[in-house]
């Protein structure tokens, strides 16, 4: 752990507390780089783990179990934590402009802020739906939705727009949780009606037919209304309009479609793709700025496009850490190639899940227990922190000691 007596030679600034950055923080705690001042700028000090969000919605986990508290993690890493929101990057002066505090200077910058809702200019979508991203905002709004359902007996028509893995998990988790809560109150769940809206011709279009068939059977068994070839065109209080002029009566709408990025990234002069995500090379460096890195949902790896999923942010953590260190030491960054095939574990609301990889599929409670073990092991690494002795060493690596200016 770095102490105040360390000479500060270079500033490493992490914007966002996403999965990749919590890995970087833990690695800097375990292996500090003397002469580097580490600063984290995060809107939320509790960073949610997206892989456990459906379990939280379903009632299997509480808030603390699905969040990493950045405060002890930053203290463990000897990092400054600024609870604020970045609004722009001054790439010329090398400063991060924040909403409520003075600008933060950097020598090397990394961005891992997740994504924002993409409403695709659909009228009413921003006003009358509950987007799943950013997750922290969703959790508050989900709790409000639960209260509305429980405190207003009768019919509740709930729709999920987006029939990918995220939408599927969220719908089944919500159905499971609300049904259980009503039963605990001695109330019937017969008034709950669930709708899954897919613009594709089938659910789970990014997965094989075998996975889709497993969930089609489950949706039928649970009485979920599935609308395919139904792209949302307008949202108004109590209804959703889709292509073909069809209108679906809905009291609550959860928005789980493709996400986008905040406009300030492009406004800062970074290379971005059509959705606003930062374009990065295989090294995770911005294609326009060698001293700026990006990882997780906010990054678009030009040579290796991948879905926006937490598994990729986790896998990017170690190479991001390595390359941040290398650039701080004036060494060339190394390319990283993400795996093409990866294990998919999709939960079904109750403590069951479906596994898929290389065309193989399986389902059952044992799959959920497997996923639960993986998720809890990951979270324990960043919430159960060991004690560390103060490191009084101030010797600087040669690459840092050669810097011209000591800050």
């Amino acid at each position: 752990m770095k102490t105040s007596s360390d000479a500060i030679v270079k500033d490493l600034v992490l914007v966002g507390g996403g999965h990749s950055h919590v890995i970087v923080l833990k690695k800097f705690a375990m292996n500090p780089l003397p002469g580097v001042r580490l600063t984290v700028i995060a809107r939320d000090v509790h960073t949610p783990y997206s892989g456990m969000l459906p379990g939280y919605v379903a009632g299997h986990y509480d808030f603390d179990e699905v969040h990493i508290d950045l405060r002890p993690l930053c203290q463990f890493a000897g990092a400054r934590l600024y609870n604020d929101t970045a609004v722009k990057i001054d790439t010329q002066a090398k400063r991060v402009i924040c909403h409520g505090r003075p600008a933060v200077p950097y020598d090397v910058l990394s961005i891992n802020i997740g994504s924002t809702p993409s409403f695709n200019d659909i009228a009413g979508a921003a006003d009358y739906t509950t987007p799943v991203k950013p997750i922290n905002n969703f959790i508050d709004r989900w709790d409000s939705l639960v209260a509305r359902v429980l405190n207003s007996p009768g019919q509740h028509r709930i729709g999920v727009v987006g029939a990918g893995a995220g939408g599927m998990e969220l719908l089944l988790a919500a159905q499971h949780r609300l049904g259980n809560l009503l039963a605990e109150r001695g109330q019937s769940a017969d008034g709950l009606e669930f709708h899954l809206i897919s613009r594709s011709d089938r659910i789970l279009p990014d997965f094989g037919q075998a996975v889709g068939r497993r969930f089609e059977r489950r949706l039928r068994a649970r009485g979920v209304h599935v609308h395919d070839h139904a792209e949302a065109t307008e949202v108004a209080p109590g209804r959703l309009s889709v292509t073909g002029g069809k209108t679906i009566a809905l009291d609550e709408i959860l928005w789980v479609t493709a996400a986008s990025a905040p406009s300030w990234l492009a406004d800062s002069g970074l290379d971005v793709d059509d959705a606003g995500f930062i374009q990065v090379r295989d090294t995770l460096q911005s294609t326009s700025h060698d001293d700026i890195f990006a990882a997780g949902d906010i990054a678009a790896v030009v040579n290796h496009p991948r879905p926006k999923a937490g598994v990729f942010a986790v896998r990017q953590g170690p190479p991001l850490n390595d390359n941040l260190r290398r650039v701080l030491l004036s060494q060339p960054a190394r390319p990283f190639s993400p795996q093409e095939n990866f294990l998919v574990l999709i939960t079904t609301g109750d403590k069951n899940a479906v596994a898929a990889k290389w065309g193989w599929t399986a389902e059952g409670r044992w799959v959920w227990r497997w996923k639960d073990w993986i998720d809890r092991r990951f979270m324990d690494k960043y919430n159960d922190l060991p004690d560390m002795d103060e490191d009084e060493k101030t010797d600087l690596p040669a690459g840092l000691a050669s810097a011209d200016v000591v800050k």
Side-chain angles (χ1 to χ4, degrees), residues 116-134 137-138 140-142 144-145 148 157-162 170 197 232-241 248 250-258:
T116 58
S118 177
F119 298 114
N120 296 322
D121 297 323
I122 297 171
D127 298 319
Y128 303 115
T129 70
T130 298
V132 72
K133 296 291 182 75
N137 289 356
F138 169 77
D140 292 337
R141 297 180 70 172
W142 163 250
S144 297
L145 187 157
R148 287 195 297 273
R157 299 161 299 187
I158 300 171
V160 173
V161 178
L170 188 60
I197 294 92
T233 58
E234 182 183 1
V235 184
R239 65 178 177 83
L240 170 72
S241 298
I248 306 169
L250 297 171
D251 303 301
E252 308 280 354
I253 300 175
L254 306 180
W255 200 262
V256 201
T257 63

Side-chain angles (χ1 to χ4, degrees), residues 23-34:
I23 292 172
V24 170
L25 284 168
K26 180 69 174 291
K27 288 184 175 294
F28 264 80
M30 303 304 294
N31 184 22
L33 190 55

Side-chain angles (χ1 to χ4, degrees), residues 309-326:
V311 62
F312 296 111
V314 171
R315 296 288 171 81
Q316 287 172 341
L320 174 65
N321 170 73
D322 293 342
N323 280 337
L324 289 172
R325 291 171 180 269
R326 292 183 67 84

Side-chain angles (χ1 to χ4, degrees), residues 31-32 37 75 83 111 116 118 133 147 153 163 170 179 223 238 292 294 327-328 330 346 360 390 392:
N31 184 22
R37 177 165 57 188
Q75 184 177 16
N83 184 197
I111 304 172
T116 58
S118 177
K133 296 291 182 75
L170 188 60
I292 297 177
V327 171
L328 286 164
S330 301
I346 308 174
W360 166 85
E390 292 289 336
E392 298 295 342

Side-chain angles (χ1 to χ4, degrees), residues 180-388:
N180 282 349
L181 289 174
L182 288 170
E184 289 173 4
R185 291 189 168 203
Q187 300 175 17
S188 172
D190 292 344
L192 292 179
E193 185 176 298
F194 285 85
H195 296 255
L196 182 64
I197 294 92
S198 171
R199 68 178 182 179
S200 178
D201 60 351
R202 66 183 183 91
I203 62 171
L204 298 169
D206 295 331
F207 298 88
Q209 295 281 356
V211 176
R213 285 194 294 269
R214 288 183 183 274
F215 279 93
E216 286 170 358
R217 291 194 294 268
R218 194 168 293 270
L219 292 174
R220 284 196 299 269
R222 295 197 186 181
V224 176
H225 303 273
V226 178
H227 308 266
D228 53 24
H229 289 292
E231 185 167 3
T233 58
E234 182 183 1
V235 184
R239 65 178 177 83
L240 170 72
S241 298
V242 298
T243 48
K246 181 180 178 180
T247 298
I248 306 169
L250 297 171
D251 303 301
E252 308 280 354
I253 300 175
L254 306 180
W255 200 262
V256 201
T257 63
S260 63
S263 60
W264 63 264
L265 299 170
D267 294 342
S268 299
L270 301 180
D271 284 349
V272 299
D273 64 11
D274 292 341
F277 297 110
I278 303 170
Q279 292 187 311
V280 298
R281 300 190 289 272
D282 294 359
T283 57
L284 301 178
Q285 287 169 293
S286 163
T287 55
S288 56
H289 297 79
D290 287 346
D291 55 358
I292 297 177
F293 290 73
D297 281 5
I298 205 63
V301 185
V302 175
N303 294 329
H304 303 284
R306 293 291 187 272
K308 302 298 182 185
V311 62
F312 296 111
V314 171
R315 296 288 171 81
Q316 287 172 341
L320 174 65
N321 170 73
D322 293 342
N323 280 337
L324 289 172
R325 291 171 180 269
R326 292 183 67 84
V327 171
L328 286 164
L329 294 169
S330 301
Q331 298 173 358
R334 292 173 174 167
F336 162 68
S337 298
Q339 65 188 95
E340 295 185 7
N341 295 298
F342 56 94
L343 176 68
V344 175
L345 300 172
I346 308 174
T347 56
T348 61
D350 50 1
K351 290 186 176 181
N352 281 271
V354 173
K357 187 175 183 180
W358 292 321
W360 166 85
T361 67
E363 65 178 300
R365 295 183 67 84
W366 68 270
V367 179
W368 190 90
R369 289 194 296 269
W370 183 18
K371 183 180 186 305
D372 176 64
W373 176 80
I374 293 171
D375 290 341
R376 289 184 183 274
R377 186 178 64 164
F378 175 81
M379 295 296 284
D380 286 346
K381 290 180 181 178
Y382 305 101
N383 281 330
D384 295 336
L385 303 174
D387 294 328
M388 286 187 68

